[in-house]
């Protein structure tokens, strides 16, 4: 049975209350334009380029080539976080970024934003050095792995098995069930990585660049100081679009460039359709988007990150994250900050 069969047979996740909540969230997100405090003065959006070449995530360096670091105030975990600046517009980097407000919770087809008002000029963004290191080390790997049909099918089957054991409504549960599910998924995905290391590494090498459209790092006034978006943590980013550029060789040895857009709200659209019993109407592209984001989230969690996503989150918090995936790096131990 392929991904479509497993998906439609096993992923009957939602109850009527979740559907009502989804439509409520749709109206709320339509007006939320200052989600993560990403608007800044024009003089701060200076597009300074990193002096380093071939970096995946270009971080600001001084004239000697050393990273520019600053120390934050002691946060609720008793940690003085070390911050660096991500130059999200550095064209020579493997990861470039830009904020977009075009991330409505549900959309039937993928497409990059076309309205200039929905895009914020690329700039340098303050970010936890530990979180930047996490993204540098794992983001490209997880995109490569999650792009593989075998990985997508593995995660789809693993999630179906977990739901069969713990109940189809596990996404609204918390406590021990959520922790058990996290541990089981991490082990299952880790086993897959071990068995398919060569194939995944080959996919990693094929990725030339990733453009990440996101909703910011620094939390706005609606965020509590226990959020990983908090100014003294800066360990989270909300991801909505991943435009992946791949370069491969054809039979003649010629370089072939291809692009693929992974868009989170198309995945949310697919999940909502399945929730409401309309899974048979989904296209292969919509099913594929959903399978990718589930696998991507599972990979980031296996690597030590944490995610909140309507598509693969284990608690009701996912209802607040439709149209984007909240990715963070938890403290160990979590302490005063929410684990996710």
């Amino acid at each position: 049975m392929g991904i479509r069969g497993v998906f439609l047979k096993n992923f009957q996740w939602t109850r009527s209350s979740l559907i009502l909540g989804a439509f409520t969230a749709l109206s709320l997100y339509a007006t939320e334009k200052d989600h993560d405090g990403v608007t800044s003065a024009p003089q701060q959006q200076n597009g300074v380029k990193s002096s380093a070449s071939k970096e995946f995530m270009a971080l600001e360096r001084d004239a000697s080539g050393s990273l520019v670091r600053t120390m934050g105030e002691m946060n609720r975990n008793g940690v003085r976080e070390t911050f660096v600046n991500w130059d999200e517009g550095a064209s020579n980097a493997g990861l470039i970024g830009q904020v977009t407000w075009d991330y409505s919770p549900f959309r039937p087809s993928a497409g990059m934003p076309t309205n200039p008002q929905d895009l914020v000029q690329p700039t340098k963004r303050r970010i936890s050095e530990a979180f930047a290191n996490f993204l540098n080390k794992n983001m490209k790997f997880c995109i490569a792995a999650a792009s593989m049909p075998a990985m997508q099918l593995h995660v789809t089957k693993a999630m179906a098995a977990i739901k069969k054991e713990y109940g189809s409504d596990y996404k609204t549960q918390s406590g021990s069930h959520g922790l058990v599910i996290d541990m089981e998924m991490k082990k299952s995905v880790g086993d897959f990585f071990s068995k398919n290391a060569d194939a995944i590494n080959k996919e990693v090498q094929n990725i030339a660049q990733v453009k990440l459209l996101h909703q910011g790092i620094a939390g706005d006034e609606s965020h509590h100081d226990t959020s990983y978006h908090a100014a003294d943590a800066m360990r989270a980013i909300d991801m909505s679009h991943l435009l992946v550029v791949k370069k491969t060789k054809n039979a003649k040895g010629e370089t072939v460039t291809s692009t693929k857009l992974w868009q989170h709200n198309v995945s949310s659209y697919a999940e909502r359709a399945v929730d409401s019993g309309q899974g048979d109407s989904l296209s292969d592209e919509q099913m594929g988007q959903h399978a990718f984001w589930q696998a991507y989230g599972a990979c980031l969690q296996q690597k030590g990150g944490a995610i909140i996503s309507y598509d693969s989150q284990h608690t009701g918090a996912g209802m607040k994250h439709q149209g984007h995936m909240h990715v963070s790096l938890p403290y160990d131990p979590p302490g005063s900050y929410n684990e996710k």
Side-chain angles (χ1 to χ4, degrees), residues 35-49:
H35 175 59
D36 276 332
V38 298
T39 55
S40 57
Q43 63 266 27
Q44 294 176 310
Q45 300 176 346
N46 52 20
V48 174
K49 303 299 181 184

Side-chain angles (χ1 to χ4, degrees), residues 206 245-251 253-259:
N206 289 338
V245 180
K246 294 176 62 175
K247 292 187 181 294
T248 57
K249 297 287 186 180
N250 62 17
E254 301 167 331
T255 300
V256 178
T257 301
S258 61
T259 61

Side-chain angles (χ1 to χ4, degrees), residues 7-316:
F7 190 101
L8 294 179
K9 180 178 179 181
N10 297 302
F11 278 48
Q12 306 302 319
W13 293 345
T14 298
R15 299 169 189 251
S16 59
S17 60
L18 293 182
I19 297 300
L20 178 61
F23 283 106
T24 301
L26 179 61
S27 63
L28 291 174
Y29 268 80
T31 59
E32 187 172 294
K33 289 291 187 180
D34 60 347
H35 175 59
D36 276 332
V38 298
T39 55
S40 57
Q43 63 266 27
Q44 294 176 310
Q45 300 176 346
N46 52 20
V48 174
K49 303 299 181 184
S50 170
S51 60
S53 61
K54 298 184 179 179
E55 286 184 288
F56 178 63
M57 190 175 189
L59 303 179
E60 184 184 12
R61 298 175 183 272
D62 60 23
S64 69
S66 299
L67 283 178
V68 175
R69 294 181 172 92
T70 56
M71 292 291 292
E73 298 296 322
M74 184 175 292
N75 59 38
R76 290 173 66 99
N77 270 62
V79 175
R80 289 193 66 198
E81 195 78 47
T82 303
F83 297 109
V84 292
N85 294 316
W86 170 34
D87 182 8
E88 63 178 356
S91 59
N92 62 330
L95 176 67
I96 55 177
Q98 188 170 11
V99 164
T100 182
W101 303 127
D102 186 12
Y103 68 109
S104 58
F106 307 105
R107 186 161 296 173
S109 59
M112 294 290 279
T114 57
N115 187 344
Q117 294 182 347
D118 288 330
L119 293 166
V120 176
Q121 192 69 19
T123 186
K124 291 186 293 183
R125 299 197 182 278
R126 196 180 193 214
I127 185 172
S128 156
E129 184 175 7
F131 187 42
N133 290 340
F134 172 79
L135 295 176
N136 263 317
K137 182 178 180 181
N138 299 301
M139 188 174 171
K140 188 175 179 179
F141 176 92
C142 285
I143 290 173
S147 300
M148 298 172 60
M151 169 69 171
Q152 296 172 9
L153 182 59
H154 178 88
V155 172
T156 298
K157 288 183 174 179
M159 293 185 73
I162 288 169
K163 285 187 302 178
K164 183 177 180 180
E165 181 175 357
Y166 294 99
S168 60
D169 62 345
Y170 80 95
K171 286 175 60 177
T172 64
Q173 297 173 356
S174 60
S176 60
H177 281 185
L179 295 175
V180 169
I181 290 170
D182 280 347
M183 292 299 293
E184 291 185 2
M185 281 299 297
K186 286 180 181 179
K187 182 181 185 305
S188 175
V189 172
D191 291 343
F192 180 89
F193 290 162
S194 296
K195 295 176 181 177
N196 297 274
D198 290 343
I200 296 173
N201 288 332
K202 183 177 180 180
E203 286 296 311
V204 170
Q205 295 302 316
N206 289 338
I207 296 178
Q209 192 174 69
V210 177
K211 180 166 186 177
L212 166 65
L213 296 188
H214 62 97
Q215 287 70 57
I217 297 168
D220 60 19
E221 294 179 355
S222 68
H223 286 78
H224 194 268
D225 61 358
T226 59
S227 168
Y228 282 116
H229 286 296
D232 55 10
M234 304 290 262
R235 283 172 166 248
I237 189 169
D238 292 336
M239 304 180 180
S240 58
H241 302 65
L242 293 167
L243 184 65
V244 181
V245 180
K246 294 176 62 175
K247 292 187 181 294
T248 57
K249 297 287 186 180
N250 62 17
K252 298 180 180 180
E254 301 167 331
T255 300
V256 178
T257 301
S258 61
T259 61
K260 174 65 179 181
L261 176 61
W262 301 108
Q263 188 165 332
H264 188 276
N265 53 14
V266 181
S267 178
S268 297
Y269 176 91
E271 178 157 326
R272 185 180 64 166
V274 174
D275 288 345
S276 59
Q278 303 297 314
D280 289 335
S281 67
L282 293 172
S283 66
D284 289 341
E285 171 65 15
Q286 291 162 344
M287 298 282 287
Q289 287 281 343
H290 191 44
F292 169 85
W293 283 99
Q294 284 187 152
Y296 180 61
C299 177
L300 289 171
Q301 289 188 106
Q302 198 278 335
K303 295 296 184 181
I307 61 109
I308 304 176
S309 169
Y310 182 60
D311 307 308
S312 51
Q313 171 60 15
H314 307 315
T315 74

